[in-house]
Amino acid sequence: MIYLDNNATTATDKRVLGKMLPYFCEIYSNPSSVYKFAQSARKAVEDARASLAKLLNCEAEELIFTSGGTESNNTAIKGVAFAHQNRGKHIITSKIEHHAVLHVCEYMQELGFEVTYLDVDKYGLVDIEQLKKSLKKETILTSIMLANNEIGTLQPIKEIVKICHGNNTYVHTDAVQAVGRISVDVKDLGVDFLSLSAHKFYGPKGVGALFSRKGIKFQPLLLGGGHEKGRRSSTENVPGIVGLGEAAALALESMEEDEKRIRPLRDRLESGILKTIPEAFSNGHPSQRLYNTSNICIRYIEGEGILINLDFEGICASSGSACTSGSLDPSHVLLALGLPHDVAHGSLRFSLGKDTTALQVDKVIEVLPSIVQRLRSMSPFWQQK
Ligand SMILES: *Cc1c(COP(=O)(O)O)cnc(C)c1O
């Protein structure tokens, strides 16, 4: 199998699993209990918090463990909106956010909040001038993703923070595709909230974290026993949290090396495809882009058809986001770039990981042209062009 869908999820690193295993059947205590047996579980949770804090350059207390990127995004947006609505009910986001941000914003609109969805340019960069014009006294939060999951474009978060803070507006960033892959320094970025998820960087699924700058109030999403200093109730997912901590430690060690190896493979894949397939082009920013992501539009055929044929060859890739596959709507991200519907339908996303090899990349370059040729020969659009 050739797995080129690492933006959907990654394999849990065996070293991560190894660290997690004792916390199921041996050190299974509830970290909040009073006896000594509980202290080793508590220590494991706090060690993981310190490890993640080191990766992000923040204080350990500024991190709240959650069930993943979706919960972190929900907590930040609803939490700030509910806690600061007396000051205003306006939120700014972009048209290319993950559904775990967009659908929350749409929900906030139903509750009477006003939401501005910023446009992006053809590379997927948010319109900074439109951001400046959209900010008003009532704007309490701007939520812009750090790295886009479909096209990999990296947003100028630092600049966005400066502009928003000048208007007393908090900034949240969905950094799920960035943390563990590229250096993410919350102090340098200046953001107030940041979401991350373990399973996007070789940790387990179902665990993530929210960075929440010290002193900034938000309403917790989950109420209950008051865990995580009242910010997220529910007994800690100790094995998952340990896994997240270990994934963070490994990322800190290997991120630079991973980039050095993966970027040339991604470039080789992309240029190999664009060289051999006519009427194809890549999406996303040429340089301000995640080094593992290649999104390619192949005109006159549908991405889904290509995917099925790649699957016959043992190659896993995606078209649009995993969450929308199964629906026939083209990707909202590609539409926001200004691509027409029919072209957006012909998109493929390859996302490489640390186990991707040159041999695998070459196999894709080898099999894709004949798949495309076969599908195009059956396509009325190709014949009429
Ligand atoms: C995967 C992803 C999410 C959702 O994270 P989960 O941990 O799966 O809930 C949110 N935002 C982005 C950009 C993602 O890629």
Side-chain angles (χ1 to χ4, degrees):
M1 189 187 68
I2 299 176
Y3 185 76
L4 296 174
D5 203 15
N6 286 275
N7 287 9
T9 196
T10 59
T12 304
D13 189 296
K14 294 239 164 54
R15 292 166 291 180
V16 169
L17 176 66
K19 291 273 178 180
M20 293 170 66
L21 285 175
Y23 294 93
F24 286 97
C25 303
E26 290 141 47
I27 312 169
Y28 55 80
S29 49
N30 186 322
S32 304
S33 297
V34 294
Y35 33 79
K36 277 207 281 304
F37 179 42
Q39 283 164 17
S40 29
R42 171 55 57 200
K43 181 173 185 310
V45 168
E46 296 318 319
D47 285 351
R49 206 187 306 274
S51 164
L52 188 56
K54 200 168 156 200
L55 180 68
L56 300 174
N57 190 27
C58 65
E59 318 255 316
E61 314 88 84
E62 293 176 309
L63 293 170
I64 301 146
F65 291 117
T66 66
S67 64
T70 300
E71 186 189 325
S72 298
N73 287 344
N74 270 264
T75 303
I77 298 168
K78 292 179 190 168
V80 169
F82 291 141
H84 299 277
Q85 57 183 325
N86 292 340
R87 200 149 62 73
K89 295 180 89 169
H90 181 226
I91 297 167
I92 298 175
T93 187
S94 85
K95 289 185 176 165
I96 64 163
E97 298 298 310
H98 191 273
H99 284 136
V101 165
L102 285 180
H103 290 165
V104 180
C105 287
E106 286 159 19
Y107 174 71
M108 297 318 291
Q109 283 178 290
E110 283 172 32
L111 297 186
F113 285 79
E114 184 198 345
V115 180
T116 302
Y117 298 89
L118 298 178
D119 294 318
V120 296
D121 68 11
K122 63 176 177 176
Y123 297 128
L125 288 173
V126 294
D127 186 335
I128 294 290
E129 289 313 308
Q130 192 189 8
L131 167 67
K132 287 179 185 162
K133 277 187 224 135
S134 305
L135 283 165
K136 49 186 179 181
K137 194 168 99 284
E138 295 80 17
T139 315
I140 49 175
L141 179 69
T142 296
S143 179
I144 302 287
M145 72 202 315
L146 207 163
N148 183 270
N149 46 303
E150 292 187 38
I151 57 174
T153 297
L154 301 166
Q155 302 295 343
I157 297 297
K158 214 170 150 171
E159 185 185 355
I160 290 168
V161 167
K162 282 207 185 94
I163 294 165
C164 290
H165 282 180
N167 190 63
N168 285 322
T169 299
Y170 295 131
V171 177
H172 164 251
T173 188
D174 174 347
V176 171
Q177 290 291 345
V179 171
R181 289 218 178 105
I182 58 174
S183 156
V184 174
D185 179 329
V186 291
K187 286 222 177 82
D188 181 55
L189 288 175
V191 292
D192 305 295
F193 297 89
L194 178 143
S195 301
L196 64 97
S197 178
H199 76 97
K200 301 287 173 84
F201 63 108
Y202 312 105
K205 293 165 186 56
V207 61
L210 176 67
F211 160 79
S212 153
R213 184 172 300 290
K214 223 187 299 181
I216 300 179
K217 265 202 252 147
F218 69 93
Q219 184 170 307
L221 194 65
L222 301 184
L223 305 174
H227 306 77
E228 296 291 272
K229 301 205 163 88
R231 297 169 298 179
R232 200 270 186 182
S233 289
S234 185
T235 302
E236 295 86 343
N237 169 8
V238 179
I241 290 168
V242 167
L244 172 52
E246 182 62 11
L250 293 174
L252 197 57
E253 241 172 52
S254 69
M255 243 170 3
E256 259 175 68
E257 290 302 310
D258 288 348
E259 169 160 9
K260 277 192 202 136
R261 207 181 47 257
I262 296 171
R263 181 187 290 282
L265 288 176
R266 190 276 312 268
D267 291 345
R268 175 176 176 145
L269 176 68
E270 191 164 292
S271 60
I273 292 173
L274 296 181
K275 242 190 330 228
T276 49
I277 297 176
E279 301 270 4
F281 59 91
S282 72
N283 295 303
H285 195 280
S287 60
Q288 293 300 106
R289 176 160 56 127
L290 281 177
Y291 58 78
N292 79 317
T293 305
S294 180
N295 187 302
I296 292 176
C297 276
I298 301 182
R299 288 184 201 263
Y300 307 108
I301 42 176
E302 302 219 319
E304 302 289 325
I306 307 172
L307 280 189
I308 292 164
N309 282 277
L310 284 174
D311 192 22
F312 287 142
E313 304 282 345
I315 299 164
C316 306
S318 105
S319 72
S321 73
C323 318
T324 42
S325 57
S327 88
L328 286 173
D329 295 334
S331 142
H332 67 283
V333 176
L334 298 183
L335 293 180
L337 300 182
L339 295 177
H341 273 244
D342 57 327
V343 176
H345 265 303
S347 84
L348 280 181
R349 179 188 71 183
F350 298 102
S351 44
L352 285 63
K354 62 180 182 177
D355 297 326
T356 306
T357 64
L359 225 60
Q360 294 179 331
V361 163
D362 290 344
K363 168 88 177 171
V364 177
I365 300 171
E366 184 197 315
V367 302
L368 194 57
S370 58
I371 292 174
V372 169
Q373 210 173 22
R374 199 164 63 240
L375 291 172
R376 276 182 174 165
S377 70
M378 299 183 286
S379 157
F381 305 107
W382 177 253
Q383 284 148 21
Q384 282 160 21
K385 88 176 178 77

